[in-house]
Amino acid sequence: MVQQKALLLPEKFGKLVVGERAIPKVEPGWVLVKIEATALNPVDWKIVKYGVFVEQFPAVLGTDAAGIIEEVGEGVTNVVKGDRVLFQGWYQSSDRTTFQQFSVVPAEFVAKVPSKISLDQAASIPLTLATAALGLYGKQPTKGSAGLSPPWEEAGRGKYEGKPILVLGGSSSVGQFAIQLAALSGFSPIIATASASNASYLKSIGVSHFIDRHTPTAELLVEVRSIIGSNPLEIVYDAVALPDTQKAGYELLSKGGQIVVTLNPVVDEETAAKEGKKFVHVFGNVNDPNQRETGKSLYSKLSGLLEDGSLEPNRVEVLPNGLEGIVGGLKRLEDDSISGIKLVARPQETA
């Protein structure tokens, strides 16, 4: 079988090493993508350090990628060989992950990349957009979604005009997409917390009121309440989801409201229900059967949203040395030394 270079995790709690594995075969309805750029996410270092999510080894990690269609399976009509696309990987099979030079993906979950966006930028989109979009919007009943009407569909565009939203961790990769989607939904005001250095950028993508993330909780509560006045705060997106931010968002939430979190909720479901509030713990992957319909809807519109500027990719930093550069990049993520940008590697540049 034809081989490719991949960043391999040989065993649970092992060390990542560059090696070789077979290029996967294409099935009907699927495509093979030559990966030109893959983005790093915190979940990748957590898999290595804590031994979670992955049980079959050697394994390939990574779920964010952009590249060129190398081959299309039988029945595929939405893309052809040579198209520039982005897609989200899936940890259930190393044939579908992205820290390698080729990967297979269902054709319904690839989106063409407009010429004005680089493949490095495009690789920053899939997981973080999915985490923001699937947490807020839903086309099928699931506990991991607030169930709002998607703004990429006509019925949802501007639907929540005049309703406030709070995004905690606005400069995070997920937070940036939560802000942009909130703007498309018509939410106003859009309040976000982040480091002061990211304030001007966040305002450029839709934030109306910025609060420094170092603001003490008591002051944060006062400031948010002064912004929204008597309007109920029915939706909070917590992209940080540490205990302090969850508790602050939960306290600000109005009765009947929902707080979307990216980590385990700090308040149990029964307690929250008694207080008339709800935690939504999002699982941000369009390949998840529980999210599939919403994911298909999003990907059918994604190219257009990127083309017309409704959504903008994260700012990126390209790592050197191809797949080998991922190891150092993940250490920087673990050390929490990255703010406001997405780290991207180029698998084809692996020595």
Side-chain angles (χ1 to χ4, degrees):
M1 300 181 72
V2 181
Q3 300 289 297
Q4 62 167 325
K5 291 180 179 178
L7 187 64
L8 302 172
L9 181 62
E11 58 190 359
K12 191 179 288 255
F13 307 115
K15 292 185 177 181
L16 293 167
V17 294
V18 174
E20 291 191 346
R21 67 186 306 270
I23 295 177
K25 293 184 178 181
V26 182
E27 300 177 0
W30 291 54
V31 296
L32 176 69
V33 180
K34 180 181 180 182
I35 299 174
E36 298 290 348
T38 180
L40 285 59
N41 291 287
V43 67
D44 298 310
W45 69 257
K46 292 176 182 178
I47 289 172
V48 177
K49 184 172 183 176
Y50 300 122
V52 295
F53 298 131
V54 175
E55 297 298 333
Q56 294 186 338
F57 299 91
V60 179
L61 309 183
T63 58
D64 268 340
I68 310 296
I69 295 290
E70 183 75 9
E71 184 181 347
V72 297
E74 181 183 349
V76 173
T77 59
N78 60 321
V79 290
V80 298
K81 183 176 180 178
D83 280 345
R84 303 164 75 244
V85 298
L86 62 84
F87 69 96
Q88 185 173 16
W90 185 232
Y91 284 124
Q92 287 192 355
S93 168
S94 286
D95 286 347
R96 300 180 63 182
T97 45
T98 65
F99 289 173
Q100 56 190 336
Q101 294 178 319
F102 294 88
S103 182
V104 289
V105 59
E108 63 190 1
F109 289 134
V110 298
K112 294 181 183 178
V113 177
S115 58
K116 69 177 184 178
I117 294 177
S118 72
L119 291 178
D120 294 328
Q121 292 173 310
S124 76
I125 295 171
L127 183 145
T128 48
L129 174 60
T131 304
L134 298 176
L136 289 169
Y137 309 101
K139 291 183 67 66
Q140 61 194 96
T142 174
K143 291 181 67 175
S145 171
L148 304 179
S149 297
W152 55 85
E153 296 186 351
E154 187 175 349
R157 185 68 64 100
K159 181 175 181 178
Y160 301 99
E161 183 177 355
K163 292 181 176 292
I165 185 172
L166 171 63
V167 179
L168 298 164
S171 64
S172 68
S173 297
V174 173
Q176 291 177 43
F177 280 115
I179 289 165
Q180 294 181 74
L181 291 168
L184 292 177
S185 289
F187 282 102
S188 179
I190 298 175
I191 309 164
T193 65
S195 298
S197 60
N198 293 311
S200 60
Y201 175 70
L202 295 186
K203 288 181 178 179
S204 76
I205 61 172
V207 169
S208 58
H209 295 77
F210 171 84
I211 301 174
D212 192 298
R213 73 182 183 92
H214 298 294
T215 301
T217 299
E219 294 180 24
L220 171 68
L221 300 181
V222 171
E223 193 163 348
V224 171
R225 286 166 177 155
S226 71
I227 293 169
I228 65 176
S230 60
N231 294 317
L233 182 61
E234 297 173 342
I235 189 76
V236 173
Y237 196 109
D238 187 358
V240 181
L242 294 175
D244 286 350
T245 59
Q246 287 197 39
K247 290 174 183 175
Y250 181 78
E251 185 169 341
L252 286 164
L253 202 64
S254 301
K255 190 172 183 178
Q258 302 181 84
I259 176 171
V260 182
V261 294
T262 54
L263 299 174
N264 288 326
V266 296
V267 178
D268 65 84
E269 186 175 354
E270 184 178 347
T271 299
K274 288 179 181 177
E275 298 180 6
K277 302 179 182 182
K278 180 182 178 182
F279 271 90
V280 174
H281 184 193
V282 60
F283 177 60
N285 198 304
V286 296
N287 295 286
D288 175 25
N290 293 321
Q291 315 275 14
R292 196 173 186 88
E293 290 307 311
T294 306
K296 286 168 60 177
S297 170
L298 174 61
Y299 268 72
S300 72
K301 304 289 186 181
L302 183 50
S303 294
L305 293 171
L306 295 170
E307 181 66 57
D308 68 16
S310 294
L311 291 178
E312 296 182 6
N314 291 169
R315 295 169 293 178
V316 301
E317 176 190 329
V318 178
L319 299 168
N321 304 320
L323 292 169
E324 290 182 358
I326 291 174
V327 178
L330 292 178
K331 183 63 168 63
R332 290 168 64 190
L333 287 178
E334 182 180 354
D335 292 342
D336 197 25
S337 63
I338 302 298
S339 177
I341 61 169
K342 195 80 168 171
L343 299 180
V344 171
R346 295 171 174 169
Q348 305 302 325
E349 296 182 358
T350 307

